[in-house]
Amino acid sequence: MWRMRRHSRTICLSLAFISIFLHLLLALVSFSAYQQPCDPPTGTKQMDFSNPDAKGHLHMPSPSQETSKVGFDDQTVGRHGVSMAGPVESGRSKLEALFSHPLYNIPSPPVSEEDWLLKVKPKVKVSERSSQIWVSDNQDGYEDTQWTGDNQPPWLRFHLNISRWQLYAPHDPNIEPLLQQLATHRVVSAVQKSGGTQLKLVMTFPNYGQAMLKPMKQERDEETNYNLYYFSDFERHNAEIAAFHLDRILGYRRIPPVVGRLVDVVKEIKDVTTDRKLARTFFTSPVGNVCFYGLCSYYCSTEHAVCGRPTALEVSLAVMLPDLSLATRRTWRSPWRRSYSRSKLAKWETDPDYCSAVKKTPPYDKGTRLVDFIDMVILDFLMSNMDRHHYETFEKFGNNTFLLHLDNGRAFGRHSKDEPSILVPLEQCCRIRRSTWLRLRLLSQAQYQLSDVMRESLSHDPLASVAPLLSEPHLAALDRRLATVLQTVSRCQERQTGVGVSDFIKICLLQNQAGSQH
């Protein structure tokens, strides 16, 4: 009898342990399933941008393949099967998680030969001086080297990888070496760039790379004077840097890479310049700081001089685009250009139906030019840039190409006030690119919050060790302005269909969850 009771007790304990184990296993399986994004993209693969082809080109996606379209299309939400929200993996930063998201890894076919901006001739004998082999003239200060497809400097690889669709690929491994060289390479020449309204220099490096320099004119936290008109404001070096990071976070990749640097005003500008007019503007301030002011339309005088501390000066350096003799650019006047008058209003400010006329005017009457322009409008609103009077494209690609987002120095002037007039094109036209809308929604989620990913991205810049490139009020303004953009899109959606965007998103997510059960 005693043996039977002992045997029964053993069986009960065994069954209890088995039951506990099965419950734990079921809970673990359920938790892992909960962590997976609903409705993953069908057939989506991670693109490999680490291996260039024989010509040094990196294969990159084209906007025409991401089904960009004029207008709001509810049926496109979730088209790529992305989950708009989801927990960020432990140990991974928000920025890494953002760039790993399917919306930033949409696959597309390789770029055709005609869609590259520059072409390199096939390698031939050295005696024939192939254009693929670059030999220096052994000038003073320049590197004595020859470049082939294997050892091209980062600036040249950047030029060779510009395509019809973007300046660089989403995961281009060349960008980090390019930024590092801009921030550390020895300067062999500095001359003032002609044109423009404010002081800027062209810096040249030993490997023949060039960068556009904009100097620090005021402290980062100093807001634009409310009594100043937008066209009278200073340009900011940190605005150029922040604009590049924001452009990349939005998935545009239409601003050339920009990096911050501390330069020595004497050793890296005054001593190496061949610009006599620039050289004559150097002087020493009463407190011993070395200053210069150059020649330009505005703020080029001893009262507005750029000064080192005593010789160290914060600047932004933007890699130069290919020379105009190699890649001609076309300048387009913005349809929503401001009057640049203290009293006169532009036509779009008085005509609420102004967009109807724009949509009938080339090049906005077909293709993606209008939604490309709206992309730029959203960028400008987020960083409060009112000075977008013109934009440029590469002439080789005609009207079927992206817009270059250049000259962003007047951005991030005010954080305490938003400028709703910048968003007028979006409000009047009610058009937005599908991928832009989805990414904006993603950046409004707590897991990928715009201010957080911007803070993290800017922290990698060399000048971040001196002080944050954007103050916290500017970062908070990004989130506030992003919410305004999404609200504008929602109002457009309601006007056109009578169905709120949030209501459709809810339906879409429910459909994704239902689909994942099958």
Side-chain angles (χ1 to χ4, degrees), residues 47-54 56-59 157 161 171-173:
M47 299 291 288
D48 181 11
F49 298 100
S50 60
N51 296 318
D53 60 18
H57 289 150
L58 299 171
H59 296 306
R157 293 187 64 82
N161 285 307
H171 304 283
D172 189 345

Side-chain angles (χ1 to χ4, degrees), residues 425-490:
L426 175 60
E427 292 183 287
Q428 291 183 343
C429 298
C430 279
R431 296 290 187 272
I432 190 170
R433 188 186 295 275
R434 174 185 303 120
S435 58
T436 300
W437 182 27
L438 293 173
R439 286 173 183 146
L440 292 176
R441 286 177 47 212
L442 186 69
L443 290 166
S444 69
Q445 303 289 330
Q447 298 91 330
Y448 309 97
Q449 192 166 9
L450 178 57
S451 59
D452 290 339
V453 294
M454 269 293 286
R455 185 186 299 105
E456 181 185 346
S457 185
L458 290 171
S459 69
H460 299 306
D461 188 88
L463 289 185
S465 61
V466 179
L469 271 300
L470 287 182
S471 63
E472 286 302 315
H474 276 296
L475 293 172
L478 284 173
D479 292 332
R480 182 179 70 242
R481 292 164 185 163
L482 174 58
T484 300
V485 174
L486 293 176
Q487 290 167 5
T488 303
V489 174
S490 180

